[in-house]
Amino acid sequence: MKAIRLVLWVLVAAMALALGWLTYEWQRTETELSAKPYGVPFELVDQSGQPITEAAFRGRPTALFFGFTHCPEICPTTLFELDGWLRQVDPEGGRIGAYFVTVDPERDTPELLGSYISGVSDRIVGISGSPEKVGEMVKGFSIYAKKVPIDASKPDGEYTMDHTASVFLLDAQGRFKGTIAWGENPDIAVTKLENLLKP
């Protein structure tokens, strides 16, 4: 009986040690991730055709949205709402950078992005580039994006895009600070943007 108890105590102790080690590793990983800029380096172009890199997401907080110009509802609504939230939080402009990265670079040229975004906001900058380079950025920022044919019998015909619909929030060092979800309560969205500006 004593031998069984001893074995049980050894097992409990081993499990406690393992759990403690896993907790430590998880916290260490979380700390390391939160200390580094989010995403990956990239070299793309903005809506004016000018080069843009991850350096644009440094020096001030950033609101970052991935979408496409042929989007029927989520993208235009998010652009409109984000513009309104930014005007509340940063009335003069310039304290928070805002970017719309296309997930559909085959159709979304810089010119088309510029025309699309300028119809809604003068505070949000479009980002595009070659499909390969945009794909690398999308993947490196852990964004889900998938081409979906409108007619399944014509896989090479007209298509739409499934994609992550959240606005990503980065601090002035480019570190991930949270998201504004699609359909987020506007007051909560504004508070999240206000929190980005706090030291």
Side-chain angles (χ1 to χ4, degrees), residues 47 78-79 82-83 86 98-100 117 121-126:
Q47 64 194 43
T78 299
L79 278 175
L82 180 57
D83 181 74
L86 289 169
Y99 299 90
F100 179 101
I117 294 169
S121 176
D122 59 357
R123 293 171 174 246
I124 302 169
V125 175

Side-chain angles (χ1 to χ4, degrees), residues 77-91 120-121 123-124 190 193:
T77 301
T78 299
L79 278 175
F80 177 79
E81 291 177 339
L82 180 57
D83 181 74
W85 300 331
L86 289 169
R87 290 185 187 283
Q88 286 184 62
V89 175
D90 183 15
V120 179
S121 176
R123 293 171 174 246
I124 302 169
V190 167
L193 288 169

Side-chain angles (χ1 to χ4, degrees), residues 35-42 52-64 94-99 137 141 170-176:
K36 295 179 181 177
Y38 185 69
V40 294
F42 62 88
I52 188 168
T53 70
E54 70 281 358
F57 305 160
R58 309 288 190 272
R60 63 179 177 170
T62 299
L64 185 62
R95 294 182 67 203
I96 299 176
Y99 299 90
M137 181 193 181
F141 276 74
L170 311 178
D171 70 9
Q173 287 74 48
R175 299 174 300 199
F176 178 80

Side-chain angles (χ1 to χ4, degrees), residues 50-156:
Q50 296 301 308
I52 188 168
T53 70
E54 70 281 358
F57 305 160
R58 309 288 190 272
R60 63 179 177 170
T62 299
L64 185 62
F65 182 71
F66 292 78
F68 66 116
T69 63
H70 289 70
C71 180
E73 179 184 4
I74 291 174
C75 301
T77 301
T78 299
L79 278 175
F80 177 79
E81 291 177 339
L82 180 57
D83 181 74
W85 300 331
L86 289 169
R87 290 185 187 283
Q88 286 184 62
V89 175
D90 183 15
E92 301 300 317
R95 294 182 67 203
I96 299 176
Y99 299 90
F100 179 101
V101 183
T102 184
V103 295
D104 184 18
E106 292 177 30
R107 295 186 293 195
D108 289 345
T109 62
E111 296 78 17
L112 179 58
L113 268 181
S115 175
Y116 178 78
I117 294 169
S118 65
V120 179
S121 176
D122 59 357
R123 293 171 174 246
I124 302 169
V125 175
I127 298 178
S128 186
S130 71
E132 295 75 23
K133 287 190 174 183
V134 169
E136 288 171 7
M137 181 193 181
V138 167
K139 183 178 178 183
F141 276 74
S142 301
I143 301 301
Y144 169 77
K146 181 180 179 183
K147 186 185 289 189
V148 180
I150 291 174
D151 183 345
S153 67
K154 299 176 181 175
D156 295 324

